[in-house]
Amino acid sequence: DALVLRFFPDPNYRNEALDCIAEIGSLNSNEHNASFLKLMENVLTQLHTTGISCEADTCNLTNLFLHHSEREEQFVHKLALFFTGYLKQHLTLLENEASPIAAVALKYLLRISEVPDQEIFKITVECWHILSQDLFTKSKTSTNNNGGILSFNRTNNAMHALNPIYINILHVLRIILIGNMSKPEEVLVVTDEDNNVVRESTKDTEQLALYKTMRECLVYCTNLDYDDTERIMLGKLQKQVDGSEWSWNNLNTLCWAIGSISGAMDEDPEKRFLVTVIKDLLGLCEMKRGKDNKAIIASNIMYVVGQYPRFLRAHWKFLKTVVNKLFEFMHESHPGVQDMACDTFLKIATKCKRKFVTIQVDETRPFICELVESLNEVVNDLQPHQVNAFYEAVGTMLSDRTPIIVANGNRIEHAQILNQLMSSPNASWKRILTIGSSNPAQMTDSSTLREMIQILKLNTRMVLTIGSMYTSQLETIFQDLLNLHRHYSEYIIQAV
């Protein structure tokens, strides 16, 4: 009582008092429930008395943090520590009270979560993760659902099993998480400190850890009420399309959030949701002008589609449209776009490989047959490491041992596809060796060596993905490899 009633109201001692209060509030002791309850009641009373409201339209915590002294900033940080520490230990105690104390405490935590500070946000997200996980576990038990977090049956709407105080709290929490979603590892196109669109140079491990926590938290929240998550996301997407809230950051966080809930919904609602999302994003890409805008939109399209392989496997036309769009992005010179297009193509090829080697509805032959024929046109703007990723993707498709049948019923051997796939590298290989046979000095030229190394890297990617099917290609280059090994061994000996 002395800390809360005597020292907390005094600005000179408020932060130090809050340090002590936070330590006390985070203790776990069932013997002093009445004292813990009184502690929260007193703190809420003092916050209200000092003019710090928990209501969104009157809360001044963000203003206090941004436009006041360092001491006020520290106060908001310490307030975050108090509420998160207390609620982790004693939320159940507050729930059992007839008064709205639990709802008020959670509203304060929401307001603190809205403060634009990364460290404070991390603190609150960790708490929300624990609370949402606990709510999901309780609701799953109440609805007798045996599925895991990614297989929750939305027909048994978990909101019916929740304490009513959480309905609005979780709605606001979803908005906060979606609006502040951290960047996932797959996204390579970012904005630098000068607001230029660039390729990410290094991985931010703290940001990735935050994304993982936020993703899990949003998945829990989505399972508790998918309809609400869908309404929020589609509402925000519509505001991107009509331009009322258009910005790179708003689009990024929204699409990262959309990708993060992959698998959290049943197949039919996922289909309806994704069709709307992808069509809107493709339309946005066509509508917006400027290479930077298109690069940001392209990176988000690639991230979203890469997160939903179940949907792509079930809808061939959408899958084909997405892959052809990736091929378009592979000709885009903006930093990071080509890398991300190749990475996404590899990811989709890994998850959906059988769809590419079997005839689909309204098709006369498997997609892989078309792909190897147009391969040179697709990869002609790619850098060597990107070509490697592309070949690995095609090799991944080929590794599916399903017989490749065309429309007339004829069977195409995997070795035949492999031969077409490797025709261009093999032609370059033969050209180099032919030149080298008439001019041995050319074999030590740096550009020749780089080209040969690249061809060998392509072969390495292929053997790693298709295994024993690589035998036919090995037969093509094996003797050449032995001859080259002998040639360079003799060259090294002479040089030494």
Side-chain angles (χ1 to χ4, degrees), residues 47 141 190:
L47 286 173
T141 302
V190 297

Side-chain angles (χ1 to χ4, degrees), residues 6-25:
R6 180 177 176 184
F7 293 104
F8 187 84
D10 189 336
N12 295 317
Y13 300 104
R14 181 176 296 158
N15 286 1
E16 290 72 19
L18 196 50
D19 280 332
C20 298
I21 294 168
E23 287 293 329
I24 296 169

Side-chain angles (χ1 to χ4, degrees), residues 85-226:
Y86 184 100
L87 291 172
K88 287 177 187 177
Q89 300 294 342
H90 308 295
L91 181 57
T92 303
L93 173 66
L94 301 184
E95 286 178 347
N96 295 330
E97 290 298 306
S99 65
I101 185 172
V104 174
L106 290 168
K107 283 183 180 180
Y108 271 110
L109 186 58
L110 287 173
R111 301 290 83 80
I112 295 170
S113 302
E114 293 170 338
V115 173
D117 179 79
Q118 188 78 346
E119 290 305 314
I120 291 176
F121 189 67
K122 286 180 184 177
I123 294 169
T124 59
V125 165
E126 289 175 4
C127 181
W128 287 121
H129 178 270
I130 293 171
L131 298 184
S132 60
Q133 182 182 31
D134 183 59
L135 289 173
F136 171 79
T137 303
K138 290 177 180 177
S139 64
K140 188 175 71 167
T141 302
S142 300
T143 55
N144 295 318
N145 190 299
N146 294 320
I149 181 171
L150 296 181
S151 61
F152 194 84
N153 186 351
R154 70 192 287 265
T155 58
N156 293 329
N157 197 322
M159 293 303 291
H160 297 309
L162 285 179
N163 187 316
I165 66 171
Y166 291 111
I167 296 176
N168 187 61
I169 296 295
L170 290 173
H171 171 74
V172 178
L173 176 59
R174 292 182 190 101
I175 294 174
I176 292 173
L177 291 173
I178 293 168
N180 294 277
M181 182 59 67
S182 186
K183 187 183 77 65
E185 186 174 12
E186 296 89 340
V187 176
L188 302 178
V189 179
V190 297
T191 52
D192 63 14
E193 57 188 14
D194 297 320
N195 207 34
N196 297 316
V197 179
V198 298
R199 187 196 189 285
E200 184 180 50
S201 55
T202 57
K203 296 293 183 184
D204 188 335
T205 53
E206 286 189 15
Q207 191 175 50
L208 294 178
L210 178 60
Y211 169 77
K212 182 180 178 182
T213 304
M214 293 182 70
R215 174 191 177 275
E216 292 179 1
C217 185
L218 186 56
V219 168
Y220 287 127
C221 290
T222 299
N223 276 310
L224 288 168
D225 188 354
Y226 170 70

Side-chain angles (χ1 to χ4, degrees), residues 195-336:
N195 207 34
N196 297 316
V197 179
V198 298
R199 187 196 189 285
E200 184 180 50
S201 55
T202 57
K203 296 293 183 184
D204 188 335
T205 53
E206 286 189 15
Q207 191 175 50
L208 294 178
L210 178 60
Y211 169 77
K212 182 180 178 182
T213 304
M214 293 182 70
R215 174 191 177 275
E216 292 179 1
C217 185
L218 186 56
V219 168
Y220 287 127
C221 290
T222 299
N223 276 310
L224 288 168
D225 188 354
Y226 170 70
D227 290 327
D228 188 51
T229 303
E230 181 183 24
R231 280 193 297 270
I232 294 170
M233 288 181 169
L234 293 182
K236 285 181 171 289
L237 182 57
Q238 184 56 43
K239 291 178 180 179
Q240 293 301 301
V241 174
D242 65 26
S244 59
E245 291 186 5
W246 162 256
S247 75
W248 293 346
N249 182 67
N250 287 344
L251 183 65
N252 284 340
T253 54
L254 171 60
C255 290
W256 299 342
I258 290 172
S260 74
I261 62 169
S262 169
M265 61 196 81
D266 291 340
E267 197 164 347
D268 286 341
E270 180 180 87
K271 173 186 175 181
R272 184 189 67 244
F273 175 64
L274 274 180
V275 166
T276 302
V277 168
I278 296 174
K279 282 185 176 179
D280 282 353
L281 288 176
L282 290 173
L284 196 60
C285 191
E286 294 298 322
M287 180 175 62
K288 290 294 180 181
R289 296 290 176 262
K291 282 193 170 291
D292 285 350
N293 286 335
K294 288 186 178 294
I296 291 292
I297 299 169
S299 73
N300 284 306
I301 291 172
M302 290 186 284
Y303 173 67
V304 170
V305 298
Q307 295 303 108
Y308 287 89
R310 180 178 69 177
F311 170 79
L312 295 177
R313 285 194 298 268
H315 303 90
W316 165 249
K317 289 185 177 180
F318 235 104
L319 173 57
K320 187 176 181 180
T321 300
V322 164
V323 170
N324 285 327
K325 196 68 180 178
L326 291 177
F327 293 165
E328 288 182 28
F329 293 150
M330 289 177 190
H331 298 287
E332 173 58 59
S333 60
H334 207 290

